[in-house]
Amino acid sequence: MPLVVQKFGGTSVADSQKILAAARKAVRAQQEGNQVVMVVSAMGKNTDVLVDLAHQISDHPPAREMDMLLSTGEQVSVALMAMAIDSLGCRAISFTGAQIGIKTDSTHTKARIHSISAARMRQALDEGKIVIAAGFQGIDEDSNITTLGRGGSDTTAVALAAALEADACEIYTDVDGVYTTDPRALPEARMVRQVSYDEMLELASLGAGVMHSRSIEFAKKFSVPIHVRSSFSDRPGTMITALPESPGQPVSGATLVKNEARVAILGVPDRPGSSLAIFSKIAARNISVDMIVQNVGDHAKADISFTVLRDDLVSTLEAVQEAAAELGAEGVSHDDKVSKISVVGLGMATQTGVAQTMFRALAEAGVNIQMITTSEIKISVLVDRDQAQNALRVVHRAFELEKEPRAAAAQSADATRLPGPKVARDEAAIVARLSGMEDLTIDDMMLDDTQARVTIGGVPDAPGMAASVFEGIAAAGIFVDMIVQSLGRAGHANLSFTVPQAALQRAVATATELAGQFGCGPVTNSPRVAKLSVSGIGMRSHTGVAIRMFRALSEAGINVAMINTSEVRVNVVVDGAAGQKGLACLQAAFADAQR
Ligand code: ASP
Ligand code: MG
C-alpha cells in the first residue's frame, strides 16, 4: 500500500478548526488507499511563547531543560490531532519523538538525528491507524529529550519519509508553494511548479524561508521528492525534486537578504594561512559568515571581504581586529547598511551571459554593486540597503521570473503521487543508511586547471562597471566562470574573473581596453590558475567547511588567490602549479565526509 507523509506546520494547526481541517486531509488520503503518517508542529506561535517564558525565568536557561520545555508544544498538537481523527471516526495514534525511536546526539536545541526505528510506526500503520508523529524532537542515548533546531519539523517529516520509503512527502504550510522570490517583498513573484534540491538549498537559507535547509539536504541525500502546498486549499503546490522547473531557464529564483554587514580586511599579507587565521577567529565566536570574497590585491597584499548578519557585526569586528593585528594587515573597514541580492538557477551552469544580464539590470537602475561572488548556480551581489528593494525588482524582471517558462515542467496538475525509485524494504539496511544521515557529505571535489585569471584593479565604485566589463568580455566571445569583486581602498573595487586559458590573451586585451576607457587599472593576470571546489550537502549546517579547506591548503603551503562561497560550495583559486597537490590535500582533509 502506498505511504504518504504529511507534515503540518504551526500555522496549519493554530487552532481547533485548523487541526480538524488537517485531520480531514489525512483521513481523505487514507480513504484514497494510502497509509498515512502525519508530522505535526506546535500550534501557532506556541514554540515562541515557550521560548519567551523560559527567558522570563532565566537569561541562560539550561539547554537540556529548554528541550524538555519546547518539546511539549508538539506533544500538545499530536494528542489533539489524534483526538481530531478519532472524532472523524478513524483510528489514529500519536507518538513523541522518543516513542518512534528518533535517536539523536546530545546537542540540545540543535540535535542531529542518528537513527530512526520504523518498526513501531509500521505496526500501527499495518493495524490501519493514522500515525501522528511529533515533529522537531528526539531522544539521546541517555533518554534525554532533544530538539532539532527551530523549524525542525520539516526535517522530521523528510527523515520519516526516507526511513519509511514513503511514496510522497507533503509539506502543508501557509503559503501555496515556493515562489520566484518572496511575494511579500515583490507582488509579481510567481509560484513555481517545480524547483530542484540544489536551487532550493541555495534559496532556502537566503530568505525564501519556506523550508528548513537541513530538511532539503536530507531530501536530496535520500531522493525524497517533496510537495510543498497550502493547508488551506487543495491546489497543487511546488514539487522539490532533482530537476528544475524548466531546464532552459538560466535563473529560477531571486532572493534578498536585507540585514547584512560587510567587513573588509585590507592589505592582508598574501601568504598561506591568512584566511584561516581570520575565519577561525570568527568561527570561534560562533558567528556564521556568509559571502566570503578574497581578491587579488596590489603588491603581494590581498583584500579579504565577507558579510555577516548585521546583528553579528560587533563581535565579528572584535575577532577581525585581533586577526588583522596578528597578520599585520593594513586596516579593517565595515558597512552595516548593505543587503544581498542573489539569483539562483541550475541553468546558469551551462549558459553564458547570466551575470551581465544581472549587472546590466542593476546598472540601469543606478544600483552600485559593492561585492560579487558566484558559484555554479548562484550569483550574489551586495548593494546599499536603501536600494535593495528596487534591485530585487529589476533583477527579477530582467530574468522574466514573473512569466511562466515556455517549456513548463512535465508535471501533471495533480502530481501528488511521486514516482520514486522503489527499493526493496530491508529495515536493517535503511537504519544503517540513516545512521550516517546527518553527516556532512561532500558530493564533489574538483580541480579545474584549465583556467586563467584576469584582475582589473582600481575600478571606480560606481554603477555600471561590472555590467560594462562583462558585456565587453562576452562580446569578445569569452566564457567567464568565477567572478569576484571586492571593495578595496579609497572607494575602488578589484574585479577578478577566470576564463579559459586559451582565451586569456583576448580577455586581457579586452580588459585593458575597458580599463583605459574607464580610467582604471592596472590589469593583471595569471596565465594558469587552478580552481579547487568542494561542494556538498551539510556545508552550511556543518560550520567550518571553508575553514577546513583553508587549513588543509595552508598546511600544504598553498596560497589562496581568490575565494568564492555559496550555500553548497566553496571555490578557491590557487596557483596553477599547486592544483594537483591542493586537490590531494583536500581529499585527505575531507576523506571522512566523502560519499
Ligand atoms: N515548533 C518548532 C518551531 O517553531 C518546530 C517547527 O515548527 O518546525 O521551531
Ligand atoms: Mg516551521
Side-chain angles (χ1 to χ4, degrees):
M1 197 184 279
L3 193 154
V4 178
V5 172
Q6 298 185 323
K7 181 254 170 179
F8 293 88
T11 47
S12 309
V13 295
D15 57 40
S16 52
Q17 288 312 310
K18 288 186 174 141
I19 291 177
L20 281 161
R24 276 185 222 107
K25 285 202 193 282
V27 165
R28 194 168 70 197
Q30 192 188 42
Q31 283 166 350
E32 285 167 1
N34 298 289
Q35 294 191 320
V36 182
V37 174
M38 299 175 85
V39 173
V40 188
S41 290
M43 292 173 70
K45 297 244 170 287
N46 204 0
T47 309
D48 293 329
V49 172
L50 294 170
V51 170
D52 188 54
L53 207 50
H55 286 114
Q56 286 176 31
I57 302 274
S58 161
D59 286 340
H60 302 285
R64 180 189 182 279
E65 305 312 329
M66 206 61 192
D67 280 352
M68 183 67 95
L69 179 69
L70 296 191
S71 65
T72 62
E74 272 70 15
Q75 200 172 326
V76 169
S77 311
V78 289
L80 293 173
M81 189 63 77
M83 293 173 197
I85 288 179
D86 179 79
S87 78
L88 297 173
C90 293
R91 300 202 309 146
I93 180 166
S94 64
F95 290 125
T96 63
Q99 288 170 333
I100 46 171
I102 298 195
K103 292 269 168 55
T104 70
D105 64 16
S106 303
T107 323
H108 285 291
T109 75
K110 39 180 182 295
R112 310 187 72 85
I113 298 176
H114 280 166
S115 64
I116 297 176
S117 59
R120 189 152 182 199
M121 286 183 284
R122 282 258 157 69
Q123 192 190 333
L125 290 169
D126 290 342
E127 289 166 2
K129 291 175 184 152
I130 291 177
V131 164
I132 303 162
F136 167 63
Q137 55 178 264
I139 57 167
D140 74 0
E141 286 218 310
D142 302 319
S143 302
N144 296 303
I145 294 177
T146 55
T147 63
L148 308 178
R150 296 305 305 273
S153 295
D154 290 335
T155 298
T156 306
V158 176
L160 291 187
L164 294 163
E165 305 257 337
D167 298 87
C169 180
E170 302 180 334
I171 305 286
Y172 286 94
T173 175
D174 55 353
V175 295
D176 314 329
V178 177
Y179 279 71
T180 51
T181 195
D182 185 345
R184 283 166 306 187
L186 201 66
E188 64 249 46
R190 176 179 62 84
M191 194 189 91
V192 298
R193 269 182 259 229
Q194 187 168 319
V195 64
S196 67
Y197 298 125
D198 287 324
E199 289 167 331
M200 199 61 193
L201 280 169
E202 292 279 23
L203 290 165
S205 52
L206 292 176
V210 181
M211 283 190 77
H212 202 215
S213 283
R214 263 167 67 194
S215 66
I216 309 288
E217 294 175 352
F218 266 109
K220 179 181 175 190
K221 194 157 164 183
F222 295 103
S223 304
V224 178
I226 296 173
H227 186 181
V228 179
R229 57 191 310 188
S230 166
S231 46
F232 311 124
S233 84
D234 288 326
R235 274 199 305 274
T238 302
M239 296 300 308
I240 308 176
T241 70
L243 300 171
E245 185 179 40
S246 163
Q249 190 129 313
V251 169
S252 306
T255 60
L256 162 63
V257 181
K258 258 213 152 117
N259 295 321
E260 297 236 317
R262 177 180 63 80
V263 179
I265 308 162
L266 306 174
V268 178
D270 194 12
R271 59 166 182 254
S274 295
S275 313
L276 175 66
I278 295 164
F279 293 109
S280 46
K281 281 204 197 308
I282 298 170
R285 285 170 165 80
N286 267 329
I287 297 164
S288 56
V289 172
D290 183 16
M291 286 167 100
I292 301 178
V293 167
Q294 178 184 322
N295 210 338
V296 180
D298 317 324
H299 318 296
K301 305 247 179 185
D303 294 336
I304 299 179
S305 326
F306 58 90
T307 62
V308 292
L309 287 178
R310 188 176 52 177
D311 291 346
D312 289 330
L313 180 64
V314 173
S315 50
T316 302
L317 287 174
E318 284 167 18
V320 165
Q321 299 288 7
E322 228 178 270
E326 279 172 29
L327 291 169
E330 282 165 19
V332 174
S333 73
H334 65 90
D335 180 349
D336 67 352
K337 291 185 201 61
V338 291
S339 301
K340 182 176 73 166
I341 310 277
S342 307
V343 296
V344 171
L346 275 191
M348 75 173 71
T350 49
Q351 286 181 38
T352 54
V354 182
Q356 79 250 29
T357 302
M358 180 179 191
F359 302 156
R360 175 51 63 197
L362 292 168
E364 273 167 15
V367 177
N368 185 35
I369 303 173
Q370 301 191 12
M371 222 163 114
I372 304 171
T373 74
T374 59
S375 80
E376 305 281 280
I377 68 162
K378 185 171 98 173
I379 303 168
S380 297
V381 299
L382 203 66
V383 303
D384 228 48
R385 189 167 307 134
D386 289 344
Q387 293 182 304
Q389 178 68 31
N390 193 36
L392 178 68
R393 177 176 314 118
V394 299
V395 166
H396 193 270
R397 226 166 257 169
F399 292 104
E400 304 192 326
L401 291 176
E402 70 285 0
K403 294 189 189 143
E404 205 61 54
R406 256 170 289 137
Q411 190 65 60
S412 78
D414 60 346
T416 48
R417 180 70 57 220
L418 307 168
K422 287 299 275 185
V423 194
R425 270 191 189 135
D426 171 354
E427 212 101 324
I430 293 170
V431 171
R433 199 175 66 163
L434 286 174
S435 67
M437 200 157 176
E438 293 222 38
D439 297 344
L440 170 69
T441 331
I442 299 298
D443 280 331
D444 217 356
M445 240 177 284
M446 273 175 352
L447 164 64
D448 174 353
D449 52 11
T450 64
Q451 301 197 51
R453 171 189 60 82
V454 180
T455 300
I456 309 178
V459 177
D461 183 26
M465 297 310 299
S468 304
V469 168
F470 292 106
E471 280 164 358
I473 298 289
I478 299 165
F479 183 85
V480 171
D481 179 21
M482 263 171 95
I483 300 175
V484 163
Q485 181 190 297
S486 56
L487 206 52
R489 275 141 286 196
H492 279 87
N494 284 342
L495 185 55
S496 296
F497 52 94
T498 62
V499 298
Q501 274 152 23
L504 178 66
Q505 288 319 319
R506 276 180 303 136
V508 170
T510 311
T512 308
E513 195 189 312
L514 289 164
Q517 247 168 48
F518 298 120
C520 53
V523 174
T524 60
N525 70 83
S526 357
R528 184 167 164 238
V529 295
K531 171 176 147 192
L532 292 162
S533 26
V534 172
S535 69
I537 298 174
M539 311 243 316
R540 244 181 55 84
S541 43
H542 289 260
T543 46
V545 170
I547 290 175
R548 200 145 139 192
M549 212 168 155
F550 300 154
R551 173 162 299 123
L553 294 171
S554 129
E555 278 167 6
I558 296 173
N559 189 35
V560 174
M562 266 163 86
I563 303 173
N564 243 350
T565 55
S566 81
E567 308 301 307
V568 297
R569 185 180 276 275
V570 181
N571 291 324
V572 301
V573 165
V574 302
D575 186 65
Q580 288 297 343
K581 186 175 166 200
L583 182 64
C585 74
L586 291 182
Q587 274 158 348
F590 289 99
D592 60 321
Q594 255 208 307
R595 75 161 138 210

